[in-house]
């Protein structure tokens, strides 16, 4: 009468539902990450091609085929996730969370600890959400998703304030202690100037030696002619 569906969970084998949730989480997360990364790469290449075409006054070619394929892939992935979550808005929010996590890991996580351990917390929180949704058949999944988002945001702030921001002054101090690049260029310029001076001096000495050699030859020839005339 109410239109609600119920699911009977066999408590004797709970690991089956956990295994299914784990497999689906890995498949959905990896698929979303690959599709979004490929989309970002193609958009970046298209922007670069626009800049080159403006510089060279060449016609702009838009990759209609690839963008249409990516659009169909995103729509198909969203429909597949909707079949599991029974809610299109929830699947879209999960795609956005994976997109946000991918950007946070690639841009903000620059320290060794952040790159190594933050993804583990993200997968752990997401796995807990998938397990809850699959075992309890989507009951109060919106609340579980809000908890998942809050936990992920907390982990982002924790790693950002404890590992990423303190690493920035250390990196700046390391650059200041070892300013190799400016000195390298200065040394290269100085070495280049000294080398040019040395080459110029060598060329001058060679020219002087040639002139002196020619003068000696003329003198020797003149002496020989004088000797022949005396004889």
């Amino acid at each position: 009468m109410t239109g609600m569906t119920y699911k009977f969970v066999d408590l004797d084998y709970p690991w089956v539902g956990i295994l299914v949730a784990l497999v689906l989480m890995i498949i959905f997360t990896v698929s979303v990450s690959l599709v979004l990364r490929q989309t970002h790469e193609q958009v970046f290449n298209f922007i670069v091609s626009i800049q080159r075409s403006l510089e060279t006054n060449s016609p702009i070619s838009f990759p209609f085929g690839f963008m249409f394929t990516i659009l169909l892939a995103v729509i198909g992935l969203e429909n597949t996730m909707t079949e599991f979550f029974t809610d299109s808005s929830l699947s879209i929010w999960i795609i956005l969370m994976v997109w946000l996590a991918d950007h946070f890991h690639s841009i903000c996580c620059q320290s060794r600890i952040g790159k190594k351990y933050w993804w583990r917390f993200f997968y752990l929180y997401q796995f807990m959400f998938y397990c809850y949704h699959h075992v309890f058949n989507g009951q109060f999944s919106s609340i579980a998703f809000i908890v998942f988002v809050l936990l992920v945001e907390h982990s982002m702030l924790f790693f950002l304030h404890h590992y990423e921001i303190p690493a920035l002054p250390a990196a700046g101090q390391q650059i200041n202690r070892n300013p190799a690049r400016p000195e390298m260029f200065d040394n290269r310029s100085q070495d280049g100037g000294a080398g040019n001076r040395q080459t110029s001096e060598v060329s001058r000495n060679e020219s002087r030696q040639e002139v002196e050699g020619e003068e000696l030859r003329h003198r020797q020839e003149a002496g020989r002619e004088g000797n022949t005339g005396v004889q």
Side-chain angles (χ1 to χ4, degrees), residues 23-183:
V23 172
L24 290 176
M25 182 201 69
I26 294 174
I27 292 174
F28 289 157
T29 305
V30 172
S31 301
V32 171
S33 179
L34 290 176
V35 170
L36 294 179
R37 287 186 181 184
Q38 191 69 20
T39 304
H40 296 159
E41 182 180 358
Q42 293 300 321
V43 170
F44 178 77
N45 293 332
F46 177 66
I47 294 172
V48 172
S49 64
I50 290 175
Q51 293 178 353
R52 291 179 179 176
S53 62
L54 292 176
E55 292 176 356
T56 59
N57 293 325
S58 60
I60 301 173
S61 61
F62 185 80
F64 289 100
F66 181 80
M67 296 304 295
F68 186 70
T69 304
I70 290 295
L71 181 62
L72 291 178
V74 173
I75 294 174
L77 187 59
E78 188 268 335
N79 290 329
T80 304
M81 295 177 68
T82 303
E83 292 294 329
F84 175 74
F85 293 107
T86 65
D87 189 0
S88 60
S89 61
L90 185 61
S91 60
I92 292 173
W93 279 110
I94 292 173
I95 292 174
L96 291 176
M97 282 300 300
V98 174
W99 174 78
L100 179 63
D102 194 4
H103 276 70
F104 178 80
H105 184 265
S106 60
I107 296 174
C108 297
C109 292
Q110 299 298 326
S111 63
R112 182 181 61 84
I113 297 176
K115 290 181 178 180
K116 184 176 181 180
Y117 291 102
W118 184 81
W119 268 118
R120 301 182 182 183
F121 284 92
F122 176 74
Y123 277 111
L124 176 63
Y125 298 148
Q126 190 174 215
F127 175 64
M128 292 169 61
F129 169 72
Y130 272 80
C131 286
Y132 175 84
H133 179 83
H134 181 71
V135 172
F136 294 99
N137 197 22
Q139 298 294 325
F140 303 104
S141 292
S142 59
I143 299 175
F145 179 75
I146 292 173
V147 174
F148 161 65
V149 172
L150 293 176
L151 289 174
V152 172
E153 294 295 332
H154 175 266
S155 66
M156 288 180 178
L157 294 175
F158 180 83
F159 276 86
L160 192 65
H161 285 280
H162 284 78
Y163 301 107
E164 304 304 328
I165 294 178
L168 296 177
Q173 292 177 0
Q174 185 177 3
I175 293 173
N176 293 327
R177 291 177 182 174
N178 190 16
R181 293 183 179 179
E183 293 180 355

Side-chain angles (χ1 to χ4, degrees), residues 5 163 186 193 196:
T5 58
Y163 301 107
D186 293 338
N196 294 327

